[in-house]
């Protein structure tokens, strides 16, 4: 057989050899750092045997694939440790993740965070034993018998879902074995330093109609210093988590009797949301958008036309008890705005039409996916749709991107985002509108636009909307989880479904193109990310309370209240603190509330028309005329100053 190496060199062998054996023949030094290989592009372990002509890349500890194998092996060590402590545990899946690994497990009785220490102790014994990790290929019938005897129903279910001729591999380490494609490191002793970080619930296969399993998360590293650094970042993330800060600062809350994913905004949070919404609506108006206001509920007929009923019904809140009276809370705004467009004949001279709406939308998210304001069941979207001619698509897309870039820069988020070109998956015909020609054309056009902008983007097959490809602007929260903050989509399908048209220059009826876009995305998610980025100390122009006016004595209460009233009249969000508390207490309390400015009014200040100015960072700006401060704060709000 002929083995073609990464550098093009061809090795010839008369008998099958493992990746490990070939690495040794290349060089002893390479064999010492080898952890696996890539055979015709597929990642395999060192014990994988090559039997025919193929390409081979030896994977070492220096390659990015090492991290995935390391974490996947750590997941098996976690399962092995759980099995030692809880012999009757039933295992779901245990993959590597971007930050570490997890395993989904069914326990006889519930466990909690206090139980993680004894599981960690058991994992350490698995690591210390340095069990060799052995890959075995067996028949599906043998695997079914093996896991049925071991009372592992989730593994049996996975096996039953595989084709009869599927190659089944199991990995053994000591007295533990698992159904797994692999690959893994050579032995359990390679997992040097680890920590279990979180315990949550997760539905089997992510389906809330299935049983809730216990998901245990962990991290693993080669060096103790790396683990210590990660744990410090984890502690920082806990302190910056918007779910924690949002409650402490009185921005939002949740109530069990109301329901998961349905946040309540307290006055402070509502104020920030109002500021964001007014700002975005004003910026859209400057760019030629016209407002719409549409219902939050509609008959199923509307969603059948759009295709949501067929492709997205599981994610909708459906009301009614039979097909004749089904209605649903809207998960999107586009069909409603299309209905507005269809009122009256449109000429090419009317296009583009840019519709915008601050929309309340509803999506039936799985309970395991929801977190604070990041992912909720009712949310507010800066929604919009542009109806245009094919020749206008590129220019309109440019304008959408320009608006989002401006908004991100003003918020200080521009350096935190990445770009994803989300395409459809041709193999998953049930998920998408079945029109290969349309998909090819739409994806080609969007790619040309993205390349023209020289955006550094990743392509992602399977993440498109069911009706068209999109540019997803991605961002990570403090925990490292990535979510979409803004989308811009090219749609060649829904205009036909809704029989939308315009009259072109030749008097001929044509189908328009549609761009679906959100200028700032979901306001709740954006607010969550801002709270985390600024550690709750929102920029002055966004702060729910921008100035706190503190009276030093009872004699200056009236002056403090007058200053507060004047600031409010000028559009500055101000509050007076005229309680009989000591000044130091008032200042510390305002700083804990992360209020940008504190104005102290004592007898001297009241007499001279001045204020003593302090900042939330503890800075003392000294005494200045009130008029000077007023001009300064108004200018900073207009300029959207991030630091004061």
């Amino acid at each position: 057989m002929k083995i073609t190496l990464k550098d093009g060199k061809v090795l010839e062998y008369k008998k099958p050899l493992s990746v490990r054996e070939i690495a040794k023949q290349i060089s002893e030094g390479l064999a010492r750092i080898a952890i696996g290989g890539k055979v015709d592009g597929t990642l395999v372990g060192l014990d994988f045997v090559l039997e025919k002509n193929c390409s081979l890349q030896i994977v070492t500890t220096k390659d990015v694939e090492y991290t995935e194998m390391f974490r996947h092996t750590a997941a098996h060590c976690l399962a092995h440790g759980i099995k030692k402590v809880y012999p009757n545990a039933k295992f779901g899946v245990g993959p590597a993740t971007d930050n570490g690994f997890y395993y989904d497990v069914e326990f006889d009785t519930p466990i909690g965070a206090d139980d993680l220490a004894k599981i960690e102790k058991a994992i350490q014994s698995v690591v210390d034993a340095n069990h060799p990790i052995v890959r075995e290929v067996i028949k599906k019938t043998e695997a079914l018998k093996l896991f049925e005897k071991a009372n592992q129903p989730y593994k049996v279910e996975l096996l039953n879902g595989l084709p009869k001729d599927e190659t089944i591999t199991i990995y053994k380490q000591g007295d533990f074995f698992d159904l797994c494609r692999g690959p893994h490191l050579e032995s359990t002793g390679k997992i040097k330093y680890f920590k279990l970080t979180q315990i949550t619930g997760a539905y089997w296969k992510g389906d809330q109609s299935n049983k809730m399993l216990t998901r245990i998360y962990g991290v693993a590293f080669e060096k103790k210093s790396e683990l210590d650094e990660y744990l410090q970042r984890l502690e920082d993330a806990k302190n910056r988590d918007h779910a924690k800060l949002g409650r402490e600062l009185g921005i939002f809350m949740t109530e069990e009797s109301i329901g998961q994913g349905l946040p309540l905004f307290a006055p402070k949070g509502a104020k920030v949301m109002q500021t964001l919404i007014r700002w975005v609506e004003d910026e859209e108006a400057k760019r030629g958008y016209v407002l719409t206001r549409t219902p939050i509920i509609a008959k199923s007929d509307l969603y059948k036309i759009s295709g949501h009923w067929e492709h997205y019904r599981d994610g909708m809140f459906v009301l009614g008890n039979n097909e004749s009276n089904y209605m649903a809370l809207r998960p999107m705004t586009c069909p409603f705005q299309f209905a507005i467009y269809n009122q009256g004949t449109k000429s090419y001279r009317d296009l583009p039409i840019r519709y915008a709406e601050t929309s309340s939308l509803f999506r039936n998210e799985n309970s395991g996916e929801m977190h604070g304001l990041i992912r909720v069941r009712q949310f507010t979207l800066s929604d919009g749709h542009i109806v245009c001619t094919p020749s206008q698509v590129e220019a309109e897309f440019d304008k959408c991107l320009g608006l989002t870039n401006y908004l991100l820069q003003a918020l200080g988020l521009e350096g935190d985002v990445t770009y994803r070109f989300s395409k459809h998956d041709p193999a998953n015909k049930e998920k998408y509108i079945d029109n290969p020609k349309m998909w090819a054309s739409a994806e080609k056009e969007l790619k040309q636009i993205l390349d023209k902008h020289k955006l550094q983007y990743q392509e992602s097959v399977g993440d498109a909307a069911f009706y068209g490809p999109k540019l997803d602007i991605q961002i990570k929260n403090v925990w490292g989880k990535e979510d979409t903050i803004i989308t811009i989509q090219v749609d060649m399908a829904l205009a036909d479904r809704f029989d939308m048209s315009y009259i072109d220059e030749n008097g001929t009826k044509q189908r328009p193109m549609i761009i679906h876009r959100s200028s700032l995305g979901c306001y709740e998610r954006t607010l969550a990310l801002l709270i985390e980025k600024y550690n709750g100390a929102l920029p002055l122009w966004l702060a729910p309370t921008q100035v706190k006016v503190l009276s030093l004595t009872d004699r200056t209460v009236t002056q403090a209240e007058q200053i507060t009233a004047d600031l409010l009249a000028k559009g500055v969000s101000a509050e007076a603190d005229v309680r009989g508390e000591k000044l130091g207490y008032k200042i510390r309390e305002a700083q804990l509330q992360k209020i940008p400015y504190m104005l102290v009014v004592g007898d001297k200040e009241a007499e001279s028309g001045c204020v003593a100015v302090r900042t939330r960072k503890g800075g003392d700006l000294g005494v200045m005329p009130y008029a000077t401060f007023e001009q300064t704060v108004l200018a900073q709000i207009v300029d959207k100053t991030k630091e004061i």
Side-chain angles (χ1 to χ4, degrees):
M1 63 177 176
K2 294 182 179 181
I3 307 298
T4 305
L5 301 180
K6 185 180 180 181
D7 61 4
K9 184 178 180 181
V10 178
L11 306 177
E12 294 191 29
Y13 301 99
K14 293 182 179 180
K15 63 176 183 178
L17 291 174
S18 68
V19 174
R20 179 187 292 104
E21 291 170 324
I22 294 175
K24 284 183 179 179
Q25 292 197 16
I26 295 172
S27 79
E28 287 293 335
L30 178 63
R32 281 194 294 272
I33 62 173
I35 52 98
K38 272 191 169 182
V39 178
D40 290 336
T42 300
L43 189 63
V44 299
L46 285 172
D47 56 356
F48 185 87
V49 176
L50 283 66
E51 300 176 333
K52 59 183 180 180
N53 296 347
C54 62
S55 65
L56 172 65
Q57 174 191 341
I58 302 298
V59 177
T60 72
T61 54
K62 298 178 181 179
D63 294 314
V64 294
E65 291 83 1
Y66 172 59
T67 300
E68 180 182 351
M69 291 178 66
F70 186 87
R71 290 170 176 171
H72 196 177
T73 300
H76 276 224
C77 291
L78 165 59
H80 195 168
I82 290 171
K83 190 71 174 174
K84 283 180 171 292
V85 181
Y86 304 96
N88 296 326
K90 299 175 179 63
F91 296 97
V93 295
T97 67
D98 289 343
N99 296 318
F101 56 90
Y102 70 78
Y103 223 112
D104 290 342
V105 189
E106 179 187 332
F107 294 94
D108 286 344
T109 56
I111 71 166
D114 293 342
D115 297 298
L116 296 183
K118 57 185 177 185
I119 296 175
E120 286 179 341
K121 186 176 180 181
I123 296 172
Q124 189 63 59
S125 70
V126 172
V127 172
D128 292 342
N130 197 25
H131 297 296
I133 300 176
V134 181
R135 174 180 181 266
E136 290 188 9
V137 179
I138 62 176
K139 294 180 179 179
K140 181 178 176 179
T141 53
E142 295 176 18
L144 283 169
K145 290 179 182 178
L146 182 67
F147 286 100
E148 284 171 352
K149 184 178 179 181
N151 192 24
Q152 293 295 329
Y154 300 106
K155 302 296 182 181
V156 171
E157 182 179 336
L158 291 173
L159 283 165
N160 283 328
L162 297 175
K164 291 182 179 179
D165 58 350
E166 181 82 10
T167 299
I168 305 300
T169 56
I170 62 170
Y171 281 81
K172 293 183 176 180
Q173 52 188 60
D175 59 356
F176 177 78
F177 61 90
D178 203 356
L179 175 70
C180 184
R181 294 183 186 275
H184 288 276
L185 302 181
E186 284 189 281
S187 68
T188 60
K190 301 292 184 182
I191 308 302
K192 301 296 184 184
Y193 301 97
F194 61 89
K195 181 71 177 176
L196 301 184
T197 57
Q198 188 181 11
I199 182 169
T200 65
Y203 290 109
W204 171 235
K205 294 184 176 179
D207 187 342
Q208 58 185 345
S209 64
N210 289 334
K211 189 177 181 65
M212 174 75 78
L213 304 182
T214 300
R215 176 170 293 180
I216 299 177
Y217 287 92
V219 292
F221 298 92
E222 279 193 289
K223 299 177 182 178
K224 187 177 185 300
S225 60
E226 293 175 334
L227 176 60
D228 291 342
E229 288 172 10
Y230 177 84
L231 294 177
Q232 182 58 54
R233 291 198 304 272
L234 194 65
E235 188 62 30
D236 292 342
K238 288 179 181 178
N239 291 331
R240 297 177 78 95
D241 187 344
H242 79 278
K244 170 179 177 289
L245 284 173
R247 288 170 174 81
E248 291 176 352
L249 295 173
I251 293 174
F252 78 97
M253 58 172 285
T254 55
E255 173 58 48
E256 186 175 347
S257 62
I258 292 172
Q260 191 178 11
L262 300 170
L264 298 168
F265 285 92
K268 290 183 179 180
K271 178 64 178 177
V272 181
M273 290 281 280
Q274 181 189 60
T275 301
L276 284 170
I277 291 169
R278 286 178 173 176
W279 172 54
V280 171
E281 288 182 347
D282 287 346
E283 291 299 329
E284 289 175 336
K286 292 175 186 177
R287 291 162 175 80
Y289 284 86
V290 291
L291 279 174
T292 65
R293 184 174 175 84
T294 56
I296 65 170
I297 190 170
K299 295 164 59 177
S300 60
D301 303 43
L302 182 72
Y303 305 117
K304 288 174 182 176
I305 296 171
S306 68
H308 287 87
W309 199 252
E310 177 185 359
H311 298 284
Y312 198 75
R313 184 174 174 179
D314 289 344
M316 298 167 66
F317 288 101
V318 178
L319 310 176
N321 52 24
N322 60 64
E323 193 70 30
S324 65
N325 68 356
Y326 279 142
M327 300 188 78
L329 296 174
R330 65 179 181 187
M332 84 311 292
T333 315
C334 46
F336 300 86
Q337 292 187 335
F338 297 164
I340 293 173
Y341 176 88
N342 278 340
Q343 294 302 301
T345 302
K346 302 295 189 297
S347 161
Y348 73 95
R349 296 183 184 278
D350 298 317
L351 303 185
I353 297 177
R354 305 181 188 98
Y355 294 118
E357 182 167 336
T358 303
S359 306
S360 292
L361 303 180
F362 305 83
R363 295 183 183 174
N364 192 11
E365 301 283 2
N366 291 329
S367 61
E369 293 292 322
M370 287 182 286
H371 169 60
L373 299 178
I374 294 285
R375 192 172 291 275
V376 290
R377 285 177 169 154
Q378 177 181 331
F379 61 97
T380 314
L381 188 69
S382 57
D383 210 354
H385 300 87
I386 300 167
V387 187
C388 60
T389 67
S391 64
Q392 293 171 333
V393 169
E394 185 173 328
E396 290 304 310
F397 193 97
D398 290 349
K399 292 174 183 176
C400 291
L401 199 55
L403 173 58
T404 61
N405 287 338
Y406 166 73
L407 298 179
L408 289 171
Q409 288 168 6
L411 293 172
L413 297 175
E414 74 278 9
D416 302 329
V417 301
T418 57
Y419 298 92
R420 184 179 76 188
F421 175 21
S422 296
K423 304 162 69 175
H424 86 302
D425 180 2
N428 191 349
K429 293 186 177 181
E430 293 183 358
K431 184 178 177 182
Y432 303 100
I433 289 175
D434 187 14
N435 188 335
K437 184 177 179 180
M438 178 276 290
W439 280 104
S441 178
E443 290 179 355
K444 179 182 178 181
E445 177 146 7
L446 182 52
K447 186 176 188 338
Q448 288 174 343
I449 294 172
L450 300 182
D451 290 342
K452 181 181 177 182
H453 281 277
K454 297 181 180 179
L455 289 179
Q456 298 297 314
Y457 61 84
Q458 297 291 325
E459 292 192 13
S460 180
V461 174
D463 281 316
F466 71 82
Y467 49 80
K470 55 181 177 169
L471 172 66
D472 287 321
I473 301 178
Q474 305 289 106
I475 195 166
K476 292 182 179 180
N477 64 16
V478 288
W479 301 103
K481 185 179 184 302
E482 186 176 81
D483 282 293
T484 301
I485 185 172
I486 294 168
T487 62
I488 309 174
Q489 306 171 21
V490 175
D491 174 12
M492 293 184 172
L494 295 189
D496 187 58
R497 282 177 168 254
F498 282 90
D499 194 24
M500 299 166 67
S501 65
Y502 69 95
I503 306 302
D504 69 10
E505 299 94 324
N506 301 315
T508 304
K509 183 183 287 189
Q510 301 288 352
R511 293 287 185 218
M513 292 284 288
I514 300 168
I515 297 175
H516 303 244
R517 48 100 274 178
S518 55
S519 52
L520 196 59
C522 167
Y523 285 103
E524 287 82 357
R525 182 174 295 174
T526 299
L527 176 54
L529 294 165
L530 289 170
I531 291 171
E532 293 180 351
K533 179 177 182 65
Y534 294 105
N535 198 18
L538 295 174
L540 171 69
W541 69 278
L542 273 177
T545 303
Q546 296 163 328
V547 180
K548 195 86 163 184
V549 186
L550 313 177
S551 60
L552 185 60
T553 68
D554 290 343
R555 293 184 298 277
T556 60
V557 166
T558 299
Q559 186 70 9
E561 290 176 338
Q562 288 175 348
I563 290 173
T564 303
D566 184 69
L567 288 169
L568 288 169
K570 299 288 184 5
V572 180
S573 179
E575 294 178 358
D577 186 348
V578 295
R579 296 173 298 168
E581 302 286 353
K582 292 182 178 180
L583 180 62
Y585 178 83
K586 291 182 179 180
I587 291 172
R588 285 193 300 274
E589 192 174 73
Q591 288 174 331
L592 288 173
Q593 293 173 0
K594 302 185 185 289
I595 296 172
Y597 282 116
M598 286 144 274
L599 305 184
V600 179
V601 184
D603 290 335
K604 291 182 180 179
E605 289 80 15
E607 290 175 7
S608 62
C610 293
V611 287
V613 185
R614 302 182 63 90
T615 69
R616 60 188 166 198
K617 291 183 178 180
D620 186 349
L621 303 185
V623 177
M624 66 179 69
Y626 167 68
T628 301
F629 171 78
E630 181 188 275
Q631 292 173 0
T632 300
V633 73
L634 287 172
Q636 289 177 341
I637 291 171
V638 170
D639 293 341
K640 295 182 172 51
T641 304
K642 297 182 182 67
E643 296 292 336
I644 57 170

